[in-house]
Amino acid sequence: MTDPHQLFDDTSSAQSRGYGAQRAPGGLGYPTASASPQSAFLGDPVSNMAMAYGSSLAAQGKELVDKNDWEVQYQQDTPVAPRFDVNAPDLYIPAMAFITYVLVAGLALGTQDRFSPDLLGLQASSALAWLTLEVLAILLSLYLVTVNTDLTTIDLVAFLGYKYVGMIGGVLMGLLFGKVVYYLVLGWCCVSIFVFMIRTLRLKILAEAAAEGIPVRGARNQLRMYLTMAVAAAQPLLMYWLTFHLVR
């Protein structure tokens, strides 16, 4: 029964019940009060896609971290191309570093009022001549020590050409901050290239000795170790010889 003093009937509750009754059976529109926010989130296809993509990225990252093989890959006893293996030696960095070194040498000579095309050409030819002598000396040493290795002439040029990166850094720092900074930067780069050459060449030169079962203290193995040390020690000497006159 209604209040006799009320002019109109209150139909808001009835409309609400009717609206809810019409929407609930179809399962359309807004979620009902019984649906939780978690179920609504999981029911969203965009959210499911984002969760699947995140899971795939996590799996790929774990696979990359778990991969511990950093050596050069081989296919049928032949190293794969550099574009398929990041650890394979290539000539891009050495070639760009050599050209940049020549340009930096011209800049250094220009700041000292000593620039001339002939002197710049002499600088480039001198660096190229030293690189050629290095490669020939190593090939001759490998032949005399009778080392069976997969090192090619291109590989040697690539490994020996990495020292130009340190030479560029030393000369630029010397031009900007003086000769003391030049010695500090060049010294750090010399240590880096020395360690790099030791770790790289011992895998190439001493790997064949280990496969043959030659004792570590054997005569032939000691010669190979001396050859590796000599090649690595020659890099800092040449880095200093080709750059010391460019910084004053």
Side-chain angles (χ1 to χ4, degrees), residues 33-75:
S34 60
S36 62
Q38 290 81 1
S39 61
F41 176 78
L42 294 177
D44 189 1
V46 178
S47 302
N48 293 335
M49 184 181 301
M51 293 177 62
Y53 184 69
S55 301
S56 63
L57 287 181
Q60 293 177 2
K62 185 177 183 300
E63 181 181 358
L64 180 61
V65 172
D66 293 339
K67 185 178 180 181
N68 297 323
D69 185 12
W70 300 102
E71 296 182 357
V72 177
Q73 301 178 9
Y74 286 81
Q75 184 177 8

Side-chain angles (χ1 to χ4, degrees), residues 115-173:
F115 177 81
S116 67
D118 295 337
L119 191 58
L120 184 63
L122 180 62
Q123 190 74 26
S125 60
S126 176
L128 186 61
W130 278 110
L131 181 62
T132 304
L133 289 177
E134 281 186 278
V135 174
L136 293 178
I138 294 174
L139 291 177
L140 180 60
S141 301
L142 292 176
Y143 174 77
L144 295 177
V145 183
T146 64
V147 176
N148 296 324
T149 179
D150 58 351
L151 275 175
T152 62
T153 303
I154 301 299
D155 292 338
L156 291 176
V157 173
F159 290 136
L160 298 175
Y162 287 125
K163 64 175 174 288
Y164 293 109
V165 177
M167 294 163 58
I168 295 169
V171 173
L172 288 178
M173 292 298 101

